[in-house]
């Protein structure tokens, strides 16, 4: 032990400059932030030579806010000084000519590229500006020179025309955030990335109807701005995660391995969902302001083996008129989802489950066999007796229940019924302390 301590003391007293060049290059080569690299360049000639071996460069948005150097010059100088650059992240401003020069110079080594394009002004650029519209496709076209890319992320981009990329054979991850797109440009872009496994289109505007056919796709996250009326068709036999926001009509080819599914629409209405059978589905979340009941019942029927279920929809109705949900048979609902382990439901959907008393002629063998945790949000004192009966039934027939959270939210009612109902919930929580929690 004493000998080990002496060796450690000797090693810790070794000066950094005494290390071999290869070790110095390895240490400094792990830096990423451009500011740190620039600071090391000023220390000594040896450090400056070693920073040329960085494999990743990150330029924050305010990298050149002091105005002492032009961003293109500063960024270009550091990029071109590297020996083998694999990852490039640029959030600060840059020009089309600069990007073209940098990507062309590092096209053989570049594997991961992330760019804040800044071609949107508040996400809605002045489209009447011909110079801006001419500038944007050129910036996108530059990326096509990096044929070895494995991941590509673009922020704040206007894609009104198909970028001239050719085909990215090695690209596995594509992310586009805060973009203005049109249907044809997006479809052509996806065709240029035929082997993508992870696709994220987040905060994207301008899309109406898109078809995604990516045989290798495994994870897909889509978040569309607008009126919530986008139509989506997805085909991939390997997709296991699908998260969709802003679509009114969704169709997924039945040959899939979906395990995690989330569908939401906060701006429009979900008219139809077609996923076929969902035998492998473990997690399902359906959220939004209004869903047609046929869409709700269709997806619940398909997800009979789901283990984790979230239902947070405000209204039903097949027209533009917001309507309450039809009655939901509690016994039938849980019999149709026997594998459910966690369950979250709120407001109107929970009220619908309370409107039909199916417990009068209950089969004595009825149980909720796998349910362990449940979160219920209650918003109204209406039908208080039926709601309390439903709460009691879920607790009584769930043989493995460990936690029931009752969240009382927005129960604003001048009538004393609201106070009485809240007292009933509190009493229920006290009687089942250890399992029931009131929030």
């Amino acid at each position: 032990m004493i000998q080990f301590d002496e060796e450690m003391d000797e090693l810790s007293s070794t000066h950094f400059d005494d290390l071999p060049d290869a070790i110095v290059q390895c240490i400094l080569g792990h830096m990423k932030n451009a500011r740190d690299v620039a600071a090391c360049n000023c220390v000594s000639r040896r450090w400056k030579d070693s920073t040329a071996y960085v494999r990743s460069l990150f330029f924050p948005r305010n990298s050149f806010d002091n105005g002492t150097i032009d961003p293109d010059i500063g960024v270009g100088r550091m990029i071109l000084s590297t020996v083998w650059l694999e990852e490039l992240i640029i959030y600060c401003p840059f020009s089309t000519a600069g990007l073209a020069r940098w990507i062309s110079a590092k096209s053989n080594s570049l594997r991961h590229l992330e760019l804040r394009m800044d071609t949107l002004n508040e996400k809605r650029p002045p489209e009447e500006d011909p110079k801006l519209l001419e500038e944007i496709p050129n910036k996108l076209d530059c990326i096509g020179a990096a044929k070895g890319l494995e991941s590509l992320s673009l922020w704040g981009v206007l894609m009104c025309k198909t970028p001239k990329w050719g085909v990215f054979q090695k690209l596995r991850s594509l992310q586009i955030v805060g973009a203005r797109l049109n249907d044809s440009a997006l479809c052509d872009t996806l065709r240029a990335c035929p082997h993508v496994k992870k696709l994220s289109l987040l905060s994207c505007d301008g899309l109406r109807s898109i078809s995604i056919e990516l045989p290798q796709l495994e994870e897909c996250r889509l978040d569309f701005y607008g009126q919530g009326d986008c139509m989506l068709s997805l085909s991939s036999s390997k997709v296991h995660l699908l998260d969709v926001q802003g679509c009114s009509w969704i169709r997924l080819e039945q040959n899939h391995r979906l395990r995690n599914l989330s569908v939401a629409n906060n701006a429009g209405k979900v008219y139809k969902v077609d996923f076929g059978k969902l035998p492998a589905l473990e997690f399902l979340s359906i959220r939004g302001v209004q869903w047609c009941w046929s869409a709700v019942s269709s997806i619940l029927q398909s997800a009979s083996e789901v283990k984790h279920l979230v239902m947070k929809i405000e209204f039903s109705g097949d027209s533009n008129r917001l309507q309450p949900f039809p009655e939901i048979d509690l016994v039938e609902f849980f019999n149709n989802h026997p594998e459910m382990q966690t369950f979250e439901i709120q407001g109107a959907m929970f009220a619908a489950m309370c409107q039909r008393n199916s417990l009068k002629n209950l089969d004595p063998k009825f149980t909720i066999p796998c349910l362990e945790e449940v979160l219920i949000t209650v918003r109204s004192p209406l039908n208080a007796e039926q709601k309390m009966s439903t709460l009691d039934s879920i607790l009584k027939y769930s043989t493995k229940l460990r936690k029931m959270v009752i969240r009382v939210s927005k129960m604003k009612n001048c009538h004393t019924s609201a106070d009485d109902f809240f007292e009933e919930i509190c009493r229920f929580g006290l009687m089942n302390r250890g399992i029931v929690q009131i929030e």
Side-chain angles (χ1 to χ4, degrees), residues 97-152:
L99 181 64
R101 184 168 62 254
W102 309 328
I103 291 183
S104 177
K106 300 301 173 183
S107 59
N108 291 333
S109 62
L110 205 56
R111 298 293 177 266
H112 310 283
L113 181 63
E114 182 171 350
L115 302 173
R116 185 175 292 275
M117 305 296 288
D118 279 339
T119 52
L120 288 180
N121 182 15
E122 300 294 332
K123 296 182 181 178
R124 291 187 180 275
E127 296 186 19
E128 66 276 6
D129 187 345
K131 293 182 179 180
L132 180 60
L133 293 177
E134 183 67 24
E135 171 90 353
I136 295 160
N138 289 337
K139 275 192 176 182
L140 290 174
D141 293 346
C142 299
I143 300 171
K147 294 301 183 183
L149 282 181
E150 298 174 5
S151 68
L152 174 62

Short mmCIF file of all heavy atoms in Angstrom, two decimals, residues 97-152:
data_model
loop_
_atom_site.label_atom_id
_atom_site.label_comp_id
_atom_site.label_asym_id
_atom_site.label_seq_id
_atom_site.Cartn_x
_atom_site.Cartn_y
_atom_site.Cartn_z
N ALA A 97 -21.14 29.78 -48.61
CA ALA A 97 -19.81 29.51 -49.15
C ALA A 97 -18.91 28.87 -48.11
O ALA A 97 -18.14 27.94 -48.41
CB ALA A 97 -19.18 30.81 -49.65
N GLY A 98 -19.01 29.35 -46.87
CA GLY A 98 -18.20 28.77 -45.81
C GLY A 98 -18.55 27.33 -45.56
O GLY A 98 -17.67 26.46 -45.46
N LEU A 99 -19.85 27.03 -45.45
CA LEU A 99 -20.27 25.65 -45.20
C LEU A 99 -19.82 24.72 -46.31
O LEU A 99 -19.35 23.61 -46.06
CB LEU A 99 -21.79 25.60 -45.04
CG LEU A 99 -22.39 24.22 -44.76
CD1 LEU A 99 -21.90 23.68 -43.44
CD2 LEU A 99 -23.92 24.28 -44.79
N ALA A 100 -19.97 25.18 -47.55
CA ALA A 100 -19.55 24.35 -48.68
C ALA A 100 -18.06 24.04 -48.62
O ALA A 100 -17.63 22.91 -48.89
CB ALA A 100 -19.89 25.06 -49.99
N ARG A 101 -17.26 25.02 -48.25
CA ARG A 101 -15.81 24.83 -48.17
C ARG A 101 -15.45 23.86 -47.05
O ARG A 101 -14.60 22.97 -47.24
CB ARG A 101 -15.15 26.18 -47.95
CG ARG A 101 -13.62 26.12 -47.95
CD ARG A 101 -13.01 27.51 -48.02
NE ARG A 101 -13.38 28.33 -46.85
CZ ARG A 101 -14.25 29.33 -46.88
NH1 ARG A 101 -14.87 29.63 -48.02
NH2 ARG A 101 -14.52 30.02 -45.80
N TRP A 102 -16.07 23.99 -45.89
CA TRP A 102 -15.73 23.14 -44.76
C TRP A 102 -16.14 21.69 -44.99
O TRP A 102 -15.37 20.77 -44.71
CB TRP A 102 -16.41 23.66 -43.49
CG TRP A 102 -16.17 25.12 -43.25
CD1 TRP A 102 -15.06 25.85 -43.58
CD2 TRP A 102 -17.08 26.05 -42.65
NE1 TRP A 102 -15.21 27.16 -43.22
CE2 TRP A 102 -16.44 27.32 -42.64
CE3 TRP A 102 -18.36 25.95 -42.10
CZ2 TRP A 102 -17.05 28.46 -42.11
CZ3 TRP A 102 -18.97 27.07 -41.58
CH2 TRP A 102 -18.32 28.31 -41.59
N ILE A 103 -17.36 21.49 -45.49
CA ILE A 103 -17.83 20.13 -45.71
C ILE A 103 -17.03 19.45 -46.81
O ILE A 103 -16.69 18.26 -46.72
CB ILE A 103 -19.33 20.13 -46.04
CG1 ILE A 103 -20.14 20.53 -44.80
CG2 ILE A 103 -19.78 18.75 -46.53
CD1 ILE A 103 -21.63 20.50 -44.99
N SER A 104 -16.70 20.20 -47.84
CA SER A 104 -15.90 19.63 -48.91
C SER A 104 -14.52 19.19 -48.40
O SER A 104 -14.01 18.13 -48.78
CB SER A 104 -15.73 20.64 -50.04
OG SER A 104 -14.91 20.14 -51.07
N ALA A 105 -13.95 20.00 -47.50
CA ALA A 105 -12.61 19.69 -46.99
C ALA A 105 -12.63 18.49 -46.06
O ALA A 105 -11.64 17.74 -45.97
CB ALA A 105 -12.04 20.91 -46.27
N LYS A 106 -13.73 18.27 -45.33
CA LYS A 106 -13.79 17.19 -44.33
C LYS A 106 -14.78 16.10 -44.72
O LYS A 106 -15.21 15.31 -43.87
CB LYS A 106 -14.18 17.78 -42.97
CG LYS A 106 -13.20 18.82 -42.45
CD LYS A 106 -11.79 18.24 -42.31
CE LYS A 106 -10.77 19.30 -41.96
NZ LYS A 106 -9.40 18.75 -41.89
N SER A 107 -15.13 16.02 -45.96
CA SER A 107 -16.14 15.06 -46.40
C SER A 107 -15.73 13.61 -46.17
O SER A 107 -16.58 12.75 -45.93
CB SER A 107 -16.45 15.27 -47.88
OG SER A 107 -15.28 15.11 -48.67
N ASN A 108 -14.43 13.33 -46.21
CA ASN A 108 -13.97 11.94 -46.04
C ASN A 108 -14.08 11.45 -44.60
O ASN A 108 -14.27 10.26 -44.36
CB ASN A 108 -12.52 11.81 -46.50
CG ASN A 108 -12.38 11.96 -48.01
OD1 ASN A 108 -13.31 11.67 -48.75
ND2 ASN A 108 -11.22 12.42 -48.46
N SER A 109 -13.99 12.38 -43.63
CA SER A 109 -13.99 11.97 -42.23
C SER A 109 -15.30 12.27 -41.51
O SER A 109 -15.61 11.64 -40.49
CB SER A 109 -12.85 12.67 -41.49
OG SER A 109 -13.01 14.08 -41.51
N LEU A 110 -16.10 13.20 -42.01
CA LEU A 110 -17.28 13.68 -41.29
C LEU A 110 -18.34 12.58 -41.19
O LEU A 110 -18.76 12.00 -42.19
CB LEU A 110 -17.86 14.90 -42.00
CG LEU A 110 -18.69 15.88 -41.17
CD1 LEU A 110 -17.89 16.38 -39.98
CD2 LEU A 110 -19.16 17.03 -42.03
N ARG A 111 -18.76 12.31 -39.94
CA ARG A 111 -19.76 11.28 -39.68
C ARG A 111 -21.03 11.85 -39.05
O ARG A 111 -22.12 11.30 -39.25
CB ARG A 111 -19.17 10.19 -38.77
CG ARG A 111 -18.00 9.45 -39.38
CD ARG A 111 -18.43 8.62 -40.57
NE ARG A 111 -17.30 7.95 -41.21
CZ ARG A 111 -16.64 8.42 -42.23
NH1 ARG A 111 -16.98 9.58 -42.77
NH2 ARG A 111 -15.63 7.75 -42.76
N HIS A 112 -20.91 12.92 -38.27
CA HIS A 112 -22.04 13.48 -37.55
C HIS A 112 -22.07 14.99 -37.78
O HIS A 112 -21.09 15.68 -37.47
CB HIS A 112 -21.95 13.17 -36.05
CG HIS A 112 -21.69 11.73 -35.76
ND1 HIS A 112 -22.67 10.76 -35.84
CD2 HIS A 112 -20.54 11.08 -35.41
CE1 HIS A 112 -22.14 9.59 -35.55
NE2 HIS A 112 -20.86 9.75 -35.28
N LEU A 113 -23.18 15.49 -38.28
CA LEU A 113 -23.30 16.90 -38.61
C LEU A 113 -24.59 17.46 -38.01
O LEU A 113 -25.67 16.90 -38.19
CB LEU A 113 -23.31 17.08 -40.13
CG LEU A 113 -23.42 18.52 -40.66
CD1 LEU A 113 -22.21 19.34 -40.22
CD2 LEU A 113 -23.56 18.51 -42.18
N GLU A 114 -24.45 18.59 -37.30
CA GLU A 114 -25.61 19.27 -36.71
C GLU A 114 -25.47 20.76 -37.00
O GLU A 114 -24.47 21.38 -36.63
CB GLU A 114 -25.71 19.01 -35.21
CG GLU A 114 -26.92 19.65 -34.58
CD GLU A 114 -27.14 19.21 -33.14
OE1 GLU A 114 -26.45 18.27 -32.69
OE2 GLU A 114 -28.00 19.81 -32.46
N LEU A 115 -26.49 21.34 -37.63
CA LEU A 115 -26.42 22.73 -38.07
C LEU A 115 -27.67 23.49 -37.66
O LEU A 115 -28.80 23.01 -37.88
CB LEU A 115 -26.28 22.81 -39.59
CG LEU A 115 -25.08 22.11 -40.23
CD1 LEU A 115 -25.20 22.15 -41.75
CD2 LEU A 115 -23.78 22.76 -39.78
N ARG A 116 -27.46 24.68 -37.08
CA ARG A 116 -28.56 25.61 -36.90
C ARG A 116 -28.55 26.51 -38.12
O ARG A 116 -27.75 27.44 -38.23
CB ARG A 116 -28.38 26.42 -35.60
CG ARG A 116 -29.55 27.33 -35.29
CD ARG A 116 -29.37 28.01 -33.94
NE ARG A 116 -29.46 27.06 -32.86
CZ ARG A 116 -30.61 26.67 -32.29
NH1 ARG A 116 -31.75 27.15 -32.74
NH2 ARG A 116 -30.60 25.82 -31.29
N MET A 117 -29.47 26.26 -39.02
CA MET A 117 -29.43 26.90 -40.33
C MET A 117 -29.80 28.38 -40.28
O MET A 117 -29.32 29.17 -41.09
CB MET A 117 -30.36 26.18 -41.31
CG MET A 117 -30.10 24.69 -41.45
SD MET A 117 -28.49 24.30 -42.15
CE MET A 117 -28.73 24.79 -43.84
N ASP A 118 -30.68 28.76 -39.35
CA ASP A 118 -31.13 30.15 -39.25
C ASP A 118 -31.71 30.67 -40.56
O ASP A 118 -31.48 31.82 -40.94
CB ASP A 118 -29.98 31.07 -38.80
CG ASP A 118 -29.79 31.03 -37.29
OD1 ASP A 118 -30.74 30.64 -36.61
OD2 ASP A 118 -28.70 31.37 -36.82
N THR A 119 -32.43 29.84 -41.26
CA THR A 119 -33.07 30.27 -42.50
C THR A 119 -34.55 30.57 -42.28
O THR A 119 -35.29 30.79 -43.23
CB THR A 119 -32.92 29.20 -43.59
OG1 THR A 119 -33.35 27.94 -43.07
CG2 THR A 119 -31.49 29.09 -44.03
N LEU A 120 -34.97 30.56 -41.01
CA LEU A 120 -36.33 30.93 -40.67
C LEU A 120 -36.29 32.15 -39.77
O LEU A 120 -35.44 32.24 -38.87
CB LEU A 120 -37.04 29.79 -39.94
CG LEU A 120 -37.42 28.57 -40.78
CD1 LEU A 120 -38.11 27.56 -39.90
CD2 LEU A 120 -38.30 28.95 -41.93
N ASN A 121 -37.18 33.06 -39.99
CA ASN A 121 -37.32 34.21 -39.13
C ASN A 121 -38.60 34.02 -38.32
O ASN A 121 -39.70 34.16 -38.83
CB ASN A 121 -37.40 35.50 -39.96
CG ASN A 121 -37.51 36.74 -39.10
OD1 ASN A 121 -37.25 36.68 -37.90
ND2 ASN A 121 -37.90 37.85 -39.70
N GLU A 122 -38.40 33.67 -37.05
CA GLU A 122 -39.53 33.34 -36.20
C GLU A 122 -40.33 32.19 -36.79
O GLU A 122 -41.56 32.14 -36.67
CB GLU A 122 -40.45 34.55 -36.01
CG GLU A 122 -39.77 35.74 -35.37
CD GLU A 122 -39.35 35.46 -33.93
OE1 GLU A 122 -40.00 34.62 -33.29
OE2 GLU A 122 -38.39 36.09 -33.46
N LYS A 123 -39.65 31.25 -37.45
CA LYS A 123 -40.23 30.06 -38.06
C LYS A 123 -41.16 30.37 -39.24
O LYS A 123 -41.72 29.49 -39.85
CB LYS A 123 -40.99 29.22 -37.02
CG LYS A 123 -40.07 28.67 -35.93
CD LYS A 123 -40.85 27.82 -34.97
CE LYS A 123 -39.94 27.28 -33.87
NZ LYS A 123 -40.68 26.49 -32.89
N ARG A 124 -41.35 31.63 -39.54
CA ARG A 124 -42.17 32.00 -40.70
C ARG A 124 -41.46 33.12 -41.45
O ARG A 124 -41.68 34.30 -41.19
CB ARG A 124 -43.56 32.45 -40.27
CG ARG A 124 -44.39 31.31 -39.72
CD ARG A 124 -45.82 31.76 -39.45
NE ARG A 124 -46.61 30.67 -38.94
CZ ARG A 124 -47.23 29.79 -39.70
NH1 ARG A 124 -47.14 29.87 -40.99
NH2 ARG A 124 -47.94 28.82 -39.16
N PRO A 125 -40.56 32.79 -42.36
CA PRO A 125 -39.76 33.79 -43.06
C PRO A 125 -40.58 34.58 -44.07
O PRO A 125 -41.62 34.13 -44.52
CB PRO A 125 -38.70 32.95 -43.77
CG PRO A 125 -39.40 31.66 -44.02
CD PRO A 125 -40.31 31.44 -42.84
N PRO A 126 -40.09 35.74 -44.43
CA PRO A 126 -40.77 36.51 -45.48
C PRO A 126 -40.56 35.84 -46.83
O PRO A 126 -39.55 36.04 -47.49
CB PRO A 126 -40.08 37.87 -45.40
CG PRO A 126 -38.74 37.59 -44.82
CD PRO A 126 -38.92 36.44 -43.88
N GLU A 127 -41.54 35.06 -47.25
CA GLU A 127 -41.36 34.26 -48.46
C GLU A 127 -41.27 35.12 -49.72
O GLU A 127 -40.88 34.65 -50.78
CB GLU A 127 -42.51 33.25 -48.59
CG GLU A 127 -42.52 32.23 -47.45
CD GLU A 127 -43.57 31.16 -47.68
OE1 GLU A 127 -44.02 30.99 -48.82
OE2 GLU A 127 -43.93 30.48 -46.71
N GLU A 128 -41.65 36.39 -49.59
CA GLU A 128 -41.56 37.24 -50.77
C GLU A 128 -40.13 37.70 -51.02
O GLU A 128 -39.85 38.35 -52.02
CB GLU A 128 -42.48 38.46 -50.60
CG GLU A 128 -42.04 39.42 -49.48
CD GLU A 128 -42.55 38.99 -48.12
OE1 GLU A 128 -43.13 37.89 -48.04
OE2 GLU A 128 -42.36 39.74 -47.15
N ASP A 129 -39.22 37.38 -50.11
CA ASP A 129 -37.83 37.78 -50.26
C ASP A 129 -37.12 36.76 -51.16
O ASP A 129 -36.78 35.67 -50.71
CB ASP A 129 -37.15 37.84 -48.90
CG ASP A 129 -35.74 38.41 -48.99
OD1 ASP A 129 -35.20 38.48 -50.11
OD2 ASP A 129 -35.18 38.78 -47.95
N PRO A 130 -36.89 37.04 -52.42
CA PRO A 130 -36.30 36.05 -53.33
C PRO A 130 -34.87 35.69 -52.97
O PRO A 130 -34.42 34.58 -53.21
CB PRO A 130 -36.37 36.74 -54.70
CG PRO A 130 -36.43 38.21 -54.38
CD PRO A 130 -37.16 38.33 -53.08
N LYS A 131 -34.14 36.62 -52.36
CA LYS A 131 -32.76 36.33 -51.99
C LYS A 131 -32.70 35.26 -50.91
O LYS A 131 -31.86 34.37 -50.95
CB LYS A 131 -32.08 37.61 -51.50
CG LYS A 131 -31.88 38.65 -52.59
CD LYS A 131 -31.14 39.86 -52.05
CE LYS A 131 -30.92 40.91 -53.16
NZ LYS A 131 -30.20 42.09 -52.63
N LEU A 132 -33.62 35.36 -49.94
CA LEU A 132 -33.65 34.36 -48.87
C LEU A 132 -34.00 32.99 -49.42
O LEU A 132 -33.36 31.99 -49.10
CB LEU A 132 -34.65 34.76 -47.79
CG LEU A 132 -34.79 33.81 -46.61
CD1 LEU A 132 -33.47 33.63 -45.88
CD2 LEU A 132 -35.87 34.27 -45.66
N LEU A 133 -35.01 32.93 -50.28
CA LEU A 133 -35.42 31.65 -50.83
C LEU A 133 -34.35 31.04 -51.71
O LEU A 133 -34.23 29.83 -51.84
CB LEU A 133 -36.72 31.83 -51.64
CG LEU A 133 -37.95 32.21 -50.81
CD1 LEU A 133 -39.14 32.44 -51.71
CD2 LEU A 133 -38.26 31.14 -49.79
N GLU A 134 -33.56 31.85 -52.34
CA GLU A 134 -32.46 31.36 -53.18
C GLU A 134 -31.31 30.87 -52.33
O GLU A 134 -30.62 29.91 -52.67
CB GLU A 134 -31.99 32.47 -54.12
CG GLU A 134 -30.90 32.02 -55.09
CD GLU A 134 -31.42 31.01 -56.08
OE1 GLU A 134 -32.64 30.97 -56.33
OE2 GLU A 134 -30.60 30.23 -56.61
N GLU A 135 -31.11 31.50 -51.16
CA GLU A 135 -30.00 31.17 -50.28
C GLU A 135 -30.20 29.81 -49.61
O GLU A 135 -29.27 29.02 -49.49
CB GLU A 135 -29.88 32.26 -49.20
CG GLU A 135 -28.90 31.95 -48.07
CD GLU A 135 -27.50 32.43 -48.36
OE1 GLU A 135 -27.26 32.90 -49.49
OE2 GLU A 135 -26.66 32.33 -47.46
N ILE A 136 -31.43 29.51 -49.21
CA ILE A 136 -31.68 28.34 -48.38
C ILE A 136 -31.36 27.02 -49.06
O ILE A 136 -30.61 26.22 -48.52
CB ILE A 136 -33.14 28.36 -47.89
CG1 ILE A 136 -33.34 29.56 -46.97
CG2 ILE A 136 -33.49 27.09 -47.16
CD1 ILE A 136 -34.78 29.97 -46.81
N PRO A 137 -31.84 26.74 -50.27
CA PRO A 137 -31.51 25.47 -50.90
C PRO A 137 -30.02 25.28 -51.11
O PRO A 137 -29.52 24.17 -51.05
CB PRO A 137 -32.27 25.53 -52.23
CG PRO A 137 -33.37 26.52 -52.00
CD PRO A 137 -32.76 27.53 -51.10
N ASN A 138 -29.29 26.37 -51.33
CA ASN A 138 -27.84 26.25 -51.52
C ASN A 138 -27.16 25.74 -50.26
O ASN A 138 -26.24 24.95 -50.33
CB ASN A 138 -27.26 27.61 -51.93
CG ASN A 138 -27.64 27.99 -53.34
OD1 ASN A 138 -27.95 27.12 -54.15
ND2 ASN A 138 -27.63 29.28 -53.64
N LYS A 139 -27.61 26.23 -49.12
CA LYS A 139 -27.03 25.75 -47.87
C LYS A 139 -27.29 24.26 -47.69
O LYS A 139 -26.41 23.51 -47.28
CB LYS A 139 -27.61 26.53 -46.68
CG LYS A 139 -26.89 27.84 -46.39
CD LYS A 139 -27.31 28.39 -45.04
CE LYS A 139 -26.51 29.64 -44.69
NZ LYS A 139 -26.86 30.17 -43.36
N LEU A 140 -28.52 23.85 -47.99
CA LEU A 140 -28.84 22.43 -47.87
C LEU A 140 -28.06 21.60 -48.87
O LEU A 140 -27.60 20.50 -48.55
CB LEU A 140 -30.34 22.22 -48.07
CG LEU A 140 -31.26 22.74 -46.97
CD1 LEU A 140 -32.71 22.60 -47.38
CD2 LEU A 140 -31.00 22.02 -45.66
N ASP A 141 -27.89 22.11 -50.07
CA ASP A 141 -27.18 21.36 -51.11
C ASP A 141 -25.74 21.05 -50.70
O ASP A 141 -25.19 20.01 -51.07
CB ASP A 141 -27.18 22.13 -52.43
CG ASP A 141 -28.58 22.25 -53.02
OD1 ASP A 141 -29.48 21.52 -52.56
OD2 ASP A 141 -28.76 23.08 -53.93
N CYS A 142 -25.13 21.95 -49.94
CA CYS A 142 -23.74 21.75 -49.53
C CYS A 142 -23.55 20.45 -48.75
O CYS A 142 -22.49 19.81 -48.80
CB CYS A 142 -23.27 22.92 -48.66
SG CYS A 142 -23.31 24.52 -49.46
N ILE A 143 -24.58 20.06 -48.01
CA ILE A 143 -24.46 18.88 -47.13
C ILE A 143 -24.26 17.61 -47.95
O ILE A 143 -23.66 16.64 -47.48
CB ILE A 143 -25.72 18.77 -46.25
CG1 ILE A 143 -25.87 20.04 -45.39
CG2 ILE A 143 -25.68 17.54 -45.37
CD1 ILE A 143 -27.17 20.12 -44.64
N GLY A 144 -24.73 17.61 -49.18
CA GLY A 144 -24.63 16.42 -50.01
C GLY A 144 -23.22 15.94 -50.26
O GLY A 144 -23.01 14.77 -50.63
N ALA A 145 -22.22 16.79 -50.04
CA ALA A 145 -20.83 16.38 -50.27
C ALA A 145 -20.34 15.41 -49.21
O ALA A 145 -19.38 14.67 -49.43
CB ALA A 145 -19.93 17.61 -50.30
N ALA A 146 -20.98 15.40 -48.03
CA ALA A 146 -20.54 14.52 -46.93
C ALA A 146 -21.25 13.17 -47.05
O ALA A 146 -22.17 12.86 -46.29
CB ALA A 146 -20.83 15.17 -45.59
N LYS A 147 -20.83 12.36 -47.98
CA LYS A 147 -21.49 11.09 -48.26
C LYS A 147 -21.34 10.07 -47.14
O LYS A 147 -22.10 9.10 -47.08
CB LYS A 147 -20.94 10.49 -49.56
CG LYS A 147 -21.27 11.30 -50.81
CD LYS A 147 -22.78 11.44 -50.98
CE LYS A 147 -23.10 12.19 -52.27
NZ LYS A 147 -24.56 12.42 -52.42
N GLY A 148 -20.39 10.28 -46.24
CA GLY A 148 -20.18 9.32 -45.16
C GLY A 148 -20.97 9.62 -43.90
O GLY A 148 -20.75 8.96 -42.86
N LEU A 149 -21.87 10.58 -43.95
CA LEU A 149 -22.63 10.96 -42.76
C LEU A 149 -23.42 9.78 -42.20
O LEU A 149 -24.06 9.02 -42.94
CB LEU A 149 -23.60 12.10 -43.07
CG LEU A 149 -23.02 13.52 -43.16
CD1 LEU A 149 -24.13 14.50 -43.45
CD2 LEU A 149 -22.30 13.89 -41.86
N GLU A 150 -23.38 9.66 -40.86
CA GLU A 150 -24.18 8.67 -40.16
C GLU A 150 -25.35 9.30 -39.42
O GLU A 150 -26.37 8.64 -39.17
CB GLU A 150 -23.30 7.87 -39.19
CG GLU A 150 -22.20 7.09 -39.89
CD GLU A 150 -21.24 6.44 -38.91
OE1 GLU A 150 -21.50 6.51 -37.68
OE2 GLU A 150 -20.24 5.84 -39.35
N SER A 151 -25.21 10.57 -39.04
CA SER A 151 -26.31 11.29 -38.40
C SER A 151 -26.31 12.73 -38.89
O SER A 151 -25.25 13.32 -39.09
CB SER A 151 -26.20 11.24 -36.88
OG SER A 151 -25.10 12.00 -36.42
N LEU A 152 -27.52 13.28 -39.06
CA LEU A 152 -27.68 14.64 -39.55
C LEU A 152 -28.81 15.31 -38.78
O LEU A 152 -29.92 14.76 -38.70
CB LEU A 152 -28.00 14.63 -41.05
CG LEU A 152 -28.35 15.98 -41.69
CD1 LEU A 152 -27.18 16.95 -41.58
CD2 LEU A 152 -28.76 15.80 -43.15
#
